Amino acid sequence: MTARSEELYNQALRYMEKWELDKAEEVLRQLLDEDPQHARALNKLGVIFARRKDLQQAEMCFNEALALDPSLASAHSNLGNIYAERGWHARAKAAYEQALLLEPDNSTALHNLGVLYRKSGDIAKGVSLLKEASRAERRQMRGELKANPEKRRVVQIGWIIIAIIFFVLLYLANR
């Protein structure tokens, strides 16, 4: 992957975070014109189609991404979402389980599989998976904080502000 590909991919992600789907799609298509083998870009293009409720296009993108990179856990998980949306629970379960084989700490796949189990009536298995998804998400956030000093600083400032507010409220309550 080139630096240009990574730059375009990150730009598309920023647009997706802001739900600027048309801009994100434009950037992803530009990236795919330059690098047609970019599986993660195809996966994100599928996410855009899924957000627009175009399940057929989304499924095609996820399958193309998996044809390029069968180890892309997020594409398996996303494909599971399409299957679940269509009511194809056995296929959805298989897709989520494949994502978890590739990435056991994938909080999204854990959560979605838990929801699927709950809907099918296996409440205990569903709740267990949902709890594991929550733990995996917390581990992921802690890892991101350790890896990103800027995020860590923002969190520290947030805690300081909360402490100040607490002490001000405590002071006012005791007056």
Side-chain angles (χ1 to χ4, degrees), residues 36-102:
Q37 303 298 308
H38 200 292
R40 291 184 306 145
L42 275 165
N43 182 48
K44 289 301 181 184
L45 190 58
V47 171
I48 290 171
F49 286 122
R51 287 181 180 177
R52 292 177 178 155
K53 304 294 185 202
D54 187 344
L55 302 184
Q56 185 176 359
Q57 279 296 118
E59 182 180 3
M60 286 174 42
C61 287
F62 298 141
N63 280 320
E64 285 180 46
L66 289 169
L68 292 172
D69 183 0
S71 68
L72 190 57
S74 58
H76 285 286
S77 182
N78 290 332
L79 194 54
N81 293 342
I82 298 301
Y83 294 154
E85 185 77 21
R86 290 181 169 161
W88 301 342
H89 298 284
R91 285 184 180 184
K93 181 178 178 259
Y96 295 140
E97 287 174 344
Q98 182 61 38
L100 291 169
L101 279 175
L102 296 166

Side-chain angles (χ1 to χ4, degrees), residues 140-156:
Q140 180 183 355
M141 282 192 264
R142 281 193 300 269
E144 287 174 7
L145 285 176
K146 286 180 183 177
N148 188 333
E150 185 176 318
K151 280 186 182 179
R152 186 171 50 242
R153 180 175 160 78
V154 169
V155 169
Q156 288 170 339

Side-chain angles (χ1 to χ4, degrees), residues 93 96-97 100 104 109-135:
K93 181 178 178 259
Y96 295 140
E97 287 174 344
L100 291 169
L110 284 164
H111 177 269
N112 292 341
L113 186 58
V115 169
L116 198 63
Y117 271 103
R118 282 187 52 202
K119 284 182 180 177
S120 71
D122 191 344
I123 304 298
K125 178 75 172 175
V127 169
S128 173
L129 286 164
L130 290 169
K131 287 180 180 179
E132 180 57 33
S134 179
R135 287 189 294 270

Side-chain angles (χ1 to χ4, degrees), residues 157-175:
I157 291 170
W159 281 112
I160 291 169
I161 291 170
I162 289 170
I164 291 170
I165 291 171
F166 173 77
F167 286 118
V168 167
L169 290 174
L170 188 63
Y171 171 76
L172 293 174
N174 289 324
R175 280 187 77 188

